[in-house]
Amino acid sequence: MQKLQGIAVSPGVAMGEALVMDNEGFRIPRRFVARDAVEHELERLDEAIHAAGAEIERNRAAVFRELGDQYAAVFSAHLQMLRDPALRNELDAMIRERHYSPEYAVSRALRRYAKVFQTIESSYLAERANDVIDIEKRLLRNLLGRRREELAHLISPVTVLAHNLTPSETANLDREFVRGFATEIGGPGSHTALVAEGLEIPAVVGVGPFLTDVSGGDLVIIDGDHGLVILQPDEETIAHYRYEAEQHKNRAAQLATLRELPAETADKVHIELLGNIEFPHEVEHCLERGAEGIGLYRTEFLYLGAEAEPDEEVHYQAYAKVMEQMQGKPVVIRSCDLGAEKLTFDSEAARNPTLGLRSIRLSLKNLPTFRTQLRAVLRASVLGDLRLMFPLITTQLELRQAKMVLADVMEDLDEAGVPFNDNLPVGMMAETPAAVLLSDRFLEEVDFMSIGTNDLTQYTLAADRSNKEVAGLYSSSDPAVLRLIRMAVETAGRLGKPINVCGQMSGNTLYTILLLGLGLRRLSVTPGSIPEVKKICRTVTIPQCESVAEHVMSLENSRDIKSYLREELKKILPELVP
Ligand code: PEP
Ligand code: MG
């Protein structure tokens, strides 16, 4: 058994056979071959070795021509390794005696070699590990004959272990069969993480290199509550997790009884709990949990995995579906927040995409696309209580430009006789320090504000939300972030404008008391967390929350704040403390 610590990004526990995807997206299967297929499989291996050898020779010749012998030598070393009789004997034995498939034998043998190189403390030998991995990939490419196994077409339950999953790969995971996933890289605020939460798939990211330690078919536990990945768990651990799963089920059943009850504090202050969604089908998750509306619909997910740019009708159909299902309850549609890691663009700024052309900046630069979306939003505005929100607003000029485009699109629709709500509420996200520092000015020009703590944290602390190397720094409970939240909430209160928090922080039960204590009365959260957040709301009083918040604001760092909040939550609802 091996226990690995990563970053917990989507709660719940998954147990099942591993499906391993390496960093080129190759699926490494554990597959045994029938006894009478052994000779044929050995031939396949022969062919793959031969083809891989020919590829390396071609590369060697090309590099030799351009750069000379010194650089071509690395390919000679690859060839030597590939054709090493000891390796061949090992592979043969695995296929003949253990009936491994050639793919499985190759990944098993070469990963073991790579591991040995990796564990020796020498940068030269660590580099050799990369050579071994390179040979493994070349052989697998030749054996598998195609680049990427479709994660969307599974036929049995699996836990996916991958170097990385992009937000769109995550969004396309087959929810029937993927029980959970863990990745080597990725940070706490990545979009991959929030898609996992939206899909309600337990997930752990940023585990560090571990794929060489696991094979397809191994039993794996992914503990999305504690950020653990357990390879080949022993009986005791399995029993422990089975027990936990049972407890979890009981707790969920108890919380489900709160569905029809209001999120009202013990001293009768109403807290509006809204849901965050990425896809129309998630509306169901919100309604099941008794959400009072949708506080954030991330429409950029219409683009992810789409073969062509969504046209007005694609936008409209998605929005209409959400509006119809919500039956008059408020729905905040956020205009596309593309760019950065959600969708990359080849531009000069792409070297630093988070600070580049993303979100509203991209929309304002790409007006036809922006207008298409706004037309669809306006058309859907007659179907219920629709509100529009602009993401990543940083300057007043940007906000005014976005509103001008909206006014212009309204005029077009008016002329064409297309009905829409000409009193459409327009809000903005506060997710840059600039937006918060000038929130008094911004709030004069919008109907509501939503604090995006995922980005606000990354921009305040200069810590990439999807980079595990700075995950320790990236914390929404950092005192600097909390001061900004408090500032925005106080300003909105003074100006009488509605404000909420819609970043991942708002659905984290650790922060509910604090957020209420800071004055928030609306939270837009991942649907799965509504029951627990509601439970906390119904247990506390506002003065109690205010006194906790006051103490939090006097603490020095995020670690102390988290441990204090954990203790406070433990006092009232110990079962909700992770
Ligand atoms: C945020 O930044 O907190 C937010 C809600 O937006 P996203 O996570 O989509 O960037
Ligand atoms: Mg954001």
Side-chain angles (χ1 to χ4, degrees):
M1 178 165 97
Q2 203 178 341
K3 236 183 205 181
L4 309 160
Q5 183 69 56
I7 303 165
V9 291
S10 181
V13 172
M15 197 180 320
E17 280 192 9
L19 184 156
V20 188
M21 310 281 296
D22 71 8
N23 58 4
E24 276 192 12
F26 279 118
R27 176 176 169 176
I28 314 295
R30 160 174 278 179
R31 217 183 287 138
F32 294 94
V33 296
R35 194 179 298 271
D36 58 5
V38 162
E39 290 309 320
H40 171 70
E41 295 298 320
L42 285 167
E43 269 168 35
R44 280 210 311 126
L45 177 65
D46 255 348
E47 282 162 19
I49 292 177
H50 187 75
E55 279 170 21
I56 300 171
E57 270 171 3
R58 276 198 299 278
N59 288 344
R60 181 172 62 176
V63 171
F64 179 75
R65 268 197 311 278
E66 297 292 324
L67 301 168
D69 197 26
Q70 194 192 347
Y71 289 91
V74 62
F75 293 103
S76 304
H78 280 200
L79 273 179
Q80 210 175 353
M81 234 184 264
L82 177 74
R83 293 171 179 161
D84 177 5
L87 171 66
R88 184 57 212 256
N89 288 342
E90 189 173 341
L91 294 176
D92 274 10
M94 283 178 172
I95 297 171
R96 259 186 217 294
E97 291 155 28
R98 291 194 238 167
H99 296 174
Y100 284 179
S101 69
E103 289 86 351
Y104 186 50
V106 161
S107 81
R108 203 70 214 192
L110 289 170
R111 274 160 194 246
R112 190 175 63 77
Y113 284 26
K115 186 94 194 281
V116 173
F117 284 124
Q118 275 165 351
T119 47
I120 297 171
E121 292 219 353
S122 141
S123 57
Y124 172 77
L125 287 178
E127 268 307 305
R128 297 288 69 77
N130 289 335
D131 291 338
V132 176
I133 291 166
D134 196 72
I135 292 169
E136 181 209 355
K137 288 197 197 329
R138 211 177 271 287
L139 276 172
L140 286 176
R141 251 196 312 268
N142 280 289
L143 282 165
L144 293 165
R146 61 193 157 117
R147 282 189 53 77
R148 217 175 160 102
E149 285 270 348
E150 275 294 327
L151 262 179
H153 300 126
L154 299 168
I155 49 164
S156 61
V158 289
T159 51
V160 173
L161 307 179
H163 177 66
N164 190 23
L165 288 176
T166 63
S168 79
E169 281 168 336
T170 310
N172 287 316
L173 287 177
D174 183 335
R175 286 173 63 220
E176 191 184 346
F177 293 120
V178 176
R179 296 276 190 260
F181 73 81
T183 59
E184 292 187 323
I185 64 169
S190 64
H191 291 95
T192 296
L194 61 90
V195 173
E197 243 195 310
L199 293 175
E200 301 184 9
I201 297 178
V204 176
V205 303
V207 181
F210 75 102
L211 295 180
T212 44
D213 296 339
V214 61
S215 304
D218 285 356
L219 184 64
V220 173
I221 293 175
I222 293 171
D223 177 347
D225 297 321
H226 302 94
L228 291 173
V229 178
I230 304 169
L231 308 178
Q232 297 176 323
D234 58 25
E235 283 307 318
E236 195 185 332
T237 308
I238 293 173
H240 165 75
Y241 276 101
R242 290 222 166 104
Y243 172 75
E244 285 289 314
E246 210 43 49
Q247 295 291 94
H248 188 268
K249 224 193 272 169
N250 294 342
R251 233 179 7 250
Q254 263 174 7
L255 288 170
T257 60
L258 297 180
R259 187 183 175 279
E260 302 300 334
L261 298 175
E264 201 174 71
T265 58
D267 51 346
K268 300 281 173 243
V269 175
H270 182 73
I271 309 298
E272 199 174 316
L273 291 187
L274 308 154
N276 291 348
I277 62 166
E278 285 75 43
F279 303 98
H281 69 79
E282 288 176 273
V283 168
E284 215 176 290
H285 296 178
C286 296
L287 293 173
E288 269 166 23
R289 271 71 176 230
E292 290 182 56
I294 305 291
L296 170 65
Y297 175 8
R298 292 180 163 102
T299 58
E300 58 277 8
F301 281 82
L302 277 173
Y303 279 74
L304 298 183
E307 309 236 307
E309 177 157 337
D311 60 14
E312 185 181 321
E313 210 43 37
V314 171
H315 280 282
Y316 177 76
Q317 289 304 334
Y319 307 156
K321 201 165 164 194
V322 172
M323 297 310 296
E324 275 154 22
Q325 284 177 275
M326 289 307 289
Q327 294 183 356
K329 292 196 170 97
V331 174
V332 177
I333 296 188
R334 181 175 73 179
S335 69
C336 280
D337 184 8
L338 288 164
E341 59 151 353
K342 287 178 186 165
L343 193 71
T344 44
F345 289 87
D346 274 337
S347 72
E348 278 182 58
R351 287 176 62 191
N352 205 343
T354 314
L355 300 181
L357 196 58
R358 66 167 284 210
S359 205
I360 194 69
R361 304 169 187 182
L362 189 64
S363 298
L364 291 173
K365 188 125 187 184
N366 201 344
L367 286 180
T369 311
F370 191 31
R371 292 173 66 97
T372 299
Q373 172 167 39
L374 293 181
R375 282 177 66 92
V377 169
L378 284 167
R379 280 173 56 202
S381 69
V382 294
L383 302 175
D385 182 354
L386 189 155
R387 307 167 190 189
L388 173 66
M389 176 159 75
F390 297 123
L392 206 76
I393 295 288
T394 310
T395 68
Q396 272 176 291
L397 185 62
E398 252 171 1
L399 175 63
R400 288 180 192 159
Q401 281 174 335
K403 285 175 71 175
M404 258 157 56
V405 180
L406 178 68
D408 200 44
V409 175
M410 281 182 168
E411 223 170 272
D412 282 358
L413 289 182
D414 213 15
E415 274 171 26
V418 178
F420 63 91
N421 173 11
D422 54 5
N423 267 325
L424 182 77
V426 175
M428 62 174 270
M429 299 216 31
E431 40 189 356
T432 61
V436 176
L437 293 169
L438 294 181
S439 48
D440 54 339
R441 296 189 188 167
F442 281 114
L443 281 160
E444 298 284 357
E445 302 187 21
V446 290
D447 298 308
F448 63 94
M449 189 175 257
S450 183
I451 307 174
T453 45
N454 304 338
D455 277 315
L456 186 60
T457 304
Q458 112 165 318
Y459 292 125
T460 304
L461 301 170
D464 185 342
R465 58 194 270 190
S466 47
N467 183 345
K468 85 179 180 71
E469 303 305 331
V470 288
L473 193 57
Y474 178 90
S475 171
S476 298
S477 54
D478 186 276
V481 180
L482 295 183
R483 278 200 190 179
L484 287 171
I485 296 175
R486 184 175 62 180
M487 182 176 183
V489 176
E490 283 177 358
T491 310
R494 213 172 47 242
L495 298 176
K497 290 282 169 80
I499 189 161
N500 69 33
V501 173
C502 67
Q504 298 312 94
M505 177 188 204
S506 62
N508 184 336
T509 49
L510 198 56
Y511 298 130
T512 311
I513 299 176
L514 169 64
L515 294 175
L516 300 190
L518 288 174
L520 283 146
R521 299 294 176 263
R522 280 186 190 81
L523 300 173
S524 191
V525 306
T526 308
S529 55
I530 289 176
E532 295 191 344
V533 172
K534 190 189 271 188
K535 177 84 185 164
I536 298 175
C537 292
R538 291 179 60 82
T539 311
V540 295
T541 64
I542 294 295
Q544 190 183 359
C545 295
E546 283 171 349
S547 114
V548 168
E550 199 183 316
H551 183 67
V552 162
M553 297 312 279
S554 72
L555 295 173
E556 239 175 46
N557 58 58
S558 145
R559 209 188 51 190
D560 292 351
I561 291 172
K562 279 187 204 153
S563 70
Y564 168 67
L565 289 174
R566 198 167 285 124
E567 288 313 309
E568 288 302 305
L569 183 56
K570 214 185 242 173
K571 283 185 205 160
I572 57 161
L573 290 165
E575 68 275 22
L576 294 191
V577 180

